[in-house]
Amino acid sequence: MAKLPIHGVHAPGLTLFLIFLQYPPLLLALSSSCTIQTKHFINCGSSNSVNYFTRDFVGDTSSDSVSFSEQNTSTQSSDQLSSVSAIYDTARIFRSPSSQYVLDRTGKGTHIVRLHFFPFGSSSNLSEALFNVSVKGLTLLSNFQVPSSTDSPVVEEFFLSISRARLVLRFSPQGSSFAFINALEVFLVPDGLAPYYAPNLRTTYRINVGGGEVTLANDSLWRSWDPDDDYIHVPNAAQNSSSYESALHYQDDLDKCLASELVYQTAKVMSVNFTNGQLYRNTTWSFKVSTNARHLVRAHFCDFVSPSLNTVYFNLYSYDNFSELIDPYGKKVFRQRLVPFHYDLLVKPGSSGLVKVSIGLLNTSMYQQAYLNGLEIMVIIGSKDSEDDNQNKHVSLMIGLVSGSIALLCIFGSAAIFGCKYRKPKRADMSVWTPSPAFRGGSKPTEQTSHGSVASNFHLGLTIPLAEIHFATNNFDGKLLIGSGGFGNVYRGTLRDGTKVAVKRSKPESEQGFSEFQTEITVLSKIRHRHLVSLIGYCAERSEMLLVYEFMEKGSLRDHLYNSDFPFLPWNQRLEICIGAARGLNYLHKGVAGGIIHRDIKSTNILLDENYVAKVADFGLSKLGPLDQSQTHVSTAVKGTFGYLDPEYFKTQQLTEKSDVYSFGVVLLEVLCARPSIDPSLPREQANLAEWGITFIKSGNIEQIVDPVLAGQINPNSLRKYGEVAEKCLQEEDKERPSMRDVLLDLEYALQLQQTTAGMDICEMSISEIFPR
């Protein structure tokens, strides 16, 4: 039977009668239909239409949606091939280095793009073709050549995000060679089929675990699935199982597109009672892949194995140091068997060039079973501007904004959230990178990283299914919207166990995208402190990126300073809030191995719980160490919020802990003056709070800028000390600024002065009176 290799994945040929030997005939009419919108099937180098697995491939010379650049020809097979489809009897040949194949009316969104190649015998020796294929700057194939020894067509499959209503494929022959293509498929697929963080993918393997070959005719997206026999380490460690009797229970229409129904009706199952009494704790599959490239691994599951609900739990592993509990019954939507779901892992195999995936038994599982239905492996394609490249872009943008209207500088962050850990069955921590979690129906990745990466040590115990978040927020009800910021909107919600939460939901156009999402989880999984927010959970299913925190009852510090209906804060309470925030920042700088620089300290990122305890929030822009005596700064693109940015960091792009100190100094003035850091409605000399406030402090007139509602509340000694702290924080050069520990001590001193009856001179007090234990 002829097979079509899809870069390591074999798709079926034309012979269909074997299907009836493997699967019940009724299954050929699949109940799970996947709706396809715009679609193009092109027979290249021909004017004829050819039907191939229920699709009509239209000749490219007769299609009004196809055009191609000059210096192209067509060629036809010199003999009639009975083993392959007629779409492989012709080809379009390109000889120009800038040849283009243009397909109009493709629609915008994620598309599956398949390129078909078969070097048939003709006047042009197609097996000698050596070429590259690219689209919108992405290299799809590099130095590609189909060997003459192959007797089967080769199909290269891609998931591509297309932002315009046309697809332009560039064929670039290498040297004096040429390029060719036999057939082309392009069709729009539902959002979420490719994850948000990896929109451009190249398929390498597609495996039906525990079952036979699934052909194009049995997949709603015309995909083929190979048996897993060639990839499993110990065949005896698990047994093939199948269930065709009952209908599958899909959660939504997208799930109908994720895999063939036949994949979910077969599985490899392992248990304690099999194979000559020998007990295996796990079953492993290995795949040879490109070295040092990021790969998306999608594991498919469907529970027809367990005898009843809540009886089978097991682990999914990768590289022996990542594990995720598979719990098909965790949420209401899963309160039945035969529900397809999947987990995504993002892995980088390094120099080994191997991707390993395992399932393993749990000691605590009643029935001691584990299963896997399918696996897909796709390499992530595309390039990303380095941070160094982005530095110039950010700096240029900032300089332009600064020189323009101050009105453009008024940027406020998101109101938010935070708190305690979401309770799920205990899971092993992973030491590989997961930019988003692995969970049912979800999208979750892992990647090994070097020490100091902002993407290390994610904790999968924090993952929350999208269905739970929809329940908590009533499907993101607009009535529950409590704020918005650079990352996206923030919603109030309640989990099923009654926990009040705030959910930060990214928006596709957000300037703070996947990198910030990843950093936030990384930082919050490393730290625990009374004055730092605690993450309850996170989710990256479909195209969503969601962060879930304990609901902070009293909102942000800014909410209590100006332009809100919250009651104003008395001076003592403002000092205690500043002290709490300073404690949190001091812990970030000195209490965490390697140190963490927040990089976006502002009044909206200091949140208050029901007791007005301050917690520093929003770590999406944070920078992790190590910072030691030999490394005093980190060279990085300028990020933060105008009005709070350290001017030295802005000029040099050298980030230090003292950059946070400067930003905190601006917050201290906000607390004192009850006005924003940038107010474009004021005269130019008053618009910038830091510049305006410092002039009054230096001139000895600090009382003139105090919030009027505080009149008569502030002890003059406390006010004077507070002003000194703010002034030191706002020094132009970072070496002149204090550490956060010194700021903390000075603020505690200011509070002690405020509490001192009649403003007693501090010199007359003992140390124990100033800082009582």
Side-chain angles (χ1 to χ4, degrees):
M1 180 167 63
K3 292 186 177 181
L4 311 183
I6 306 182
H7 192 63
V9 182
H10 288 88
L14 298 178
T15 309
L16 297 179
F17 74 93
L18 290 179
I19 298 172
F20 293 91
L21 302 180
Q22 297 178 28
Y23 306 110
L26 289 177
L27 289 177
L28 291 179
L30 293 180
S31 62
S32 59
S33 60
C34 180
T35 303
I36 304 300
Q37 299 178 20
T38 59
K39 49 191 174 185
H40 299 272
F41 306 109
I42 307 299
N43 185 19
C44 302
S46 175
S47 59
N48 299 325
S49 294
V50 175
N51 186 272
Y52 181 58
F53 282 102
T54 71
R55 294 161 293 173
D56 287 326
F57 281 73
V58 180
D60 60 5
T61 58
S62 60
S63 172
D64 59 359
S65 62
V66 176
S67 61
F68 22 81
S69 57
E70 297 178 355
Q71 298 188 43
N72 75 84
T73 59
S74 61
T75 186
Q76 186 165 355
S77 172
S78 58
D79 54 64
Q80 190 67 27
L81 301 169
S82 58
S83 60
V84 295
S85 167
I87 65 171
Y88 299 108
D89 285 345
T90 60
R92 178 70 54 191
I93 295 178
F94 302 97
R95 300 190 181 276
S96 170
S98 57
S99 299
Q100 290 185 346
Y101 202 107
V102 181
L103 190 62
D104 291 317
R105 299 191 296 277
T106 55
K108 298 179 182 180
T110 300
H111 292 69
I112 286 182
V113 176
R114 295 193 186 110
L115 312 178
H116 294 252
F117 304 99
F118 185 69
F120 54 71
S122 69
S123 57
S124 299
N125 189 350
L126 300 183
S127 62
E128 294 181 351
L130 180 66
F131 55 96
N132 298 341
V133 182
S134 62
V135 57
K136 62 174 183 179
L138 297 176
T139 298
L140 306 184
L141 301 173
S142 180
N143 291 322
F144 181 74
Q145 187 172 31
V146 183
S148 58
S149 58
T150 183
D151 61 354
S152 300
V154 172
V155 180
E156 292 287 349
E157 179 185 274
F158 304 90
F159 288 83
L160 298 180
S161 177
I162 300 176
S163 58
R164 297 190 299 173
R166 59 162 33 191
L167 174 67
V168 180
L169 288 166
R170 181 181 294 272
F171 289 82
S172 304
Q174 298 299 287
S176 59
S177 189
F178 59 94
F180 80 96
I181 183 171
N182 300 87
L184 172 66
E185 300 176 59
V186 179
F187 51 91
L188 186 64
V189 295
D191 288 339
L193 200 62
Y196 174 79
Y197 50 84
N200 299 306
L201 301 164
R202 179 185 182 185
T203 304
T204 54
Y205 294 93
R206 188 169 281 130
I207 305 299
N208 182 25
V209 178
E213 180 183 3
V214 178
T215 66
L216 278 65
N218 287 275
D219 187 290
S220 57
L221 296 181
W222 306 283
R223 296 165 294 195
S224 61
W225 301 73
D226 280 348
D228 67 313
D229 301 333
D230 293 337
Y231 309 101
I232 190 168
H233 276 200
V234 182
N236 289 337
Q239 296 177 324
N240 291 348
S241 182
S242 61
S243 175
Y244 302 115
E245 292 77 19
S246 303
L248 303 181
H249 304 298
Y250 289 101
Q251 299 177 65
D252 52 39
D253 290 339
L254 174 63
D255 286 341
K256 296 178 181 180
C257 302
L258 287 169
S260 167
E261 188 166 298
L262 298 180
V263 172
Y264 290 124
Q265 293 176 319
T266 60
K268 272 282 195 308
V269 180
M270 60 182 304
S271 67
V272 295
N273 302 311
F274 63 79
T275 315
N276 300 322
Q278 186 173 3
L279 173 63
Y280 297 95
R281 299 304 309 178
N282 58 67
T283 298
T284 301
W285 291 262
S286 283
F287 303 90
K288 187 69 177 176
V289 297
S290 302
T291 59
N292 297 311
R294 295 178 184 177
H295 290 76
L296 178 75
V297 177
R298 177 166 289 171
H300 294 271
F301 301 93
C302 184
D303 179 23
F304 59 78
V305 173
S306 58
S308 60
L309 297 181
N310 301 303
T311 56
V312 173
Y313 304 90
F314 56 94
N315 278 328
L316 174 67
Y317 300 98
S318 179
Y319 290 105
D320 300 325
N321 55 2
F322 155 73
S323 67
E324 172 69 14
L325 177 72
I326 304 300
D327 172 17
Y329 328 104
K331 300 300 165 189
K332 183 177 180 180
V333 70
F334 294 100
R335 293 297 181 189
Q336 55 186 334
R337 296 165 72 249
L338 295 168
V339 177
F341 62 97
H342 74 283
Y343 283 65
D344 284 348
L345 317 175
L346 187 61
V347 303
K348 187 176 181 181
S351 58
S352 69
L354 283 178
V355 167
K356 293 183 179 181
V357 180
S358 308
I359 54 173
L361 301 174
L362 297 177
N363 292 327
T364 58
S365 182
M366 182 185 305
Y367 288 93
Q368 284 288 278
Q369 289 181 305
Y371 62 89
L372 179 65
N373 300 76
L375 280 171
E376 293 179 88
I377 300 178
M378 294 167 274
V379 64
I380 297 175
I381 58 176
S383 59
K384 188 177 182 180
D385 289 337
S386 67
E387 191 168 65
D388 289 340
D389 293 336
N390 282 331
Q391 278 185 335
N392 294 332
K393 297 176 184 177
H394 282 279
V395 172
S396 298
L397 174 61
M398 290 182 182
I399 292 173
L401 290 174
V402 169
S403 62
S405 170
I406 287 182
L408 297 179
L409 305 182
C410 190
I411 304 172
F412 297 105
S414 57
I417 29 199
F418 310 102
C420 57
K421 183 173 181 176
Y422 181 80
R423 292 180 175 84
K424 294 190 74 175
K426 187 176 181 180
R427 307 173 181 199
D429 292 344
M430 48 174 283
S431 59
V432 293
W433 175 43
T434 60
S436 40
F439 39 58
R440 9 194 156 347
S443 313
K444 152 107 147 293
T446 63
E447 175 196 4
Q448 291 175 319
T449 61
S450 60
H451 176 66
S453 166
V454 295
S456 59
N457 297 323
F458 268 44
H459 291 255
L460 294 181
L462 296 175
T463 59
I464 299 179
L466 182 60
E468 175 69 13
I469 296 176
H470 276 293
F471 173 86
T473 62
N474 193 24
N475 294 320
F476 300 107
D477 189 340
K479 296 178 181 178
L480 300 178
L481 183 67
I482 58 175
S484 62
F487 184 83
N489 292 332
V490 182
Y491 297 84
R492 177 166 45 88
T494 305
L495 299 177
R496 295 175 198 270
D497 63 2
T499 302
K500 292 183 178 181
V501 296
V503 179
K504 191 189 295 187
R505 183 190 193 191
S506 75
K507 48 190 176 185
E509 68 274 17
S510 168
E511 294 179 2
Q512 299 181 29
F514 173 69
S515 176
E516 285 76 9
F517 175 77
Q518 159 192 331
T519 302
E520 180 104 0
I521 300 167
T522 302
V523 171
L524 289 176
S525 66
K526 284 177 172 286
I527 57 179
R528 280 293 182 270
H529 193 275
R530 182 170 186 255
H531 295 288
L532 300 177
V533 298
S534 298
L535 188 68
I536 290 179
Y538 62 105
C539 174
E541 294 190 35
R542 306 296 183 259
S543 59
E544 298 277 10
M545 291 191 296
L546 301 155
L547 296 163
V548 182
Y549 311 86
E550 179 187 14
F551 182 68
M552 299 298 282
E553 189 71 34
K554 302 301 182 182
S556 72
L557 172 58
R558 179 189 183 278
D559 293 335
H560 295 267
L561 296 178
Y562 47 87
N563 297 334
S564 78
D565 295 327
F566 283 87
F568 75 89
L569 299 171
W571 181 243
N572 276 30
Q573 202 161 37
R574 296 191 195 196
L575 277 175
E576 289 171 351
I577 289 169
C578 291
I579 288 169
R583 285 174 179 158
L585 280 173
N586 183 52
Y587 175 76
L588 280 182
H589 291 176
K590 301 301 182 185
V592 181
I596 297 174
I597 304 172
H598 187 283
R599 202 156 53 156
D600 198 21
I601 294 298
K602 53 188 176 181
S603 58
T604 51
N605 286 341
I606 297 173
L607 306 180
L608 308 175
D609 69 9
E610 66 276 11
N611 298 314
Y612 290 92
V613 174
K615 296 189 179 186
V616 178
D618 202 341
F619 297 88
L621 299 182
S622 296
K623 199 74 177 177
L624 281 70
L627 291 176
D628 52 32
Q629 292 180 353
S630 64
Q631 184 183 357
T632 59
H633 67 270
V634 177
S635 294
T636 178
V638 176
K639 293 184 179 180
T641 302
F642 283 114
Y644 299 88
L645 274 176
D646 169 13
E648 189 163 33
Y649 169 39
F650 182 82
K651 288 185 292 185
T652 66
Q653 289 118 63
Q654 293 183 353
L655 179 69
T656 72
E657 295 172 355
K658 300 295 184 68
S659 300
D660 282 350
V661 174
Y662 182 92
S663 301
F664 189 72
V666 179
V667 171
L668 292 180
L669 286 184
E670 272 190 278
V671 170
L672 178 67
C673 308
R675 54 149 290 185
S677 61
I678 297 290
D679 188 344
S681 66
L682 294 173
R684 187 176 185 86
E685 64 275 9
Q686 300 178 25
N688 186 296
L689 173 61
E691 295 176 359
W692 175 72
I694 284 296
T695 60
F696 284 87
I697 295 174
K698 287 183 175 180
S699 65
N701 297 312
I702 187 174
E703 67 279 355
Q704 296 182 22
I705 61 173
V706 174
D707 183 359
V709 302
L710 297 176
Q713 288 191 28
I714 306 180
N715 181 305
N717 289 331
S718 175
L719 178 60
R720 184 171 59 252
K721 186 62 184 178
Y722 187 90
E724 291 174 2
V725 179
E727 182 182 4
K728 287 189 288 186
C729 289
L730 294 171
Q731 293 298 306
E732 287 287 324
E733 297 184 13
D734 67 351
K735 64 183 179 181
E736 301 295 330
R737 300 173 201 147
S739 67
M740 279 310 305
R741 181 180 183 277
D742 291 335
V743 172
L744 172 59
L745 291 175
D746 282 343
L747 287 173
E748 289 175 335
Y749 186 177
L751 179 60
Q752 187 66 48
L753 286 170
Q754 175 66 22
Q755 295 171 342
T756 301
T757 304
M760 180 185 296
D761 194 317
I762 196 69
C763 296
E764 300 177 7
M765 301 176 64
S766 68
I767 294 296
S768 61
E769 289 175 313
I770 299 172
F771 301 116
R773 294 184 180 274

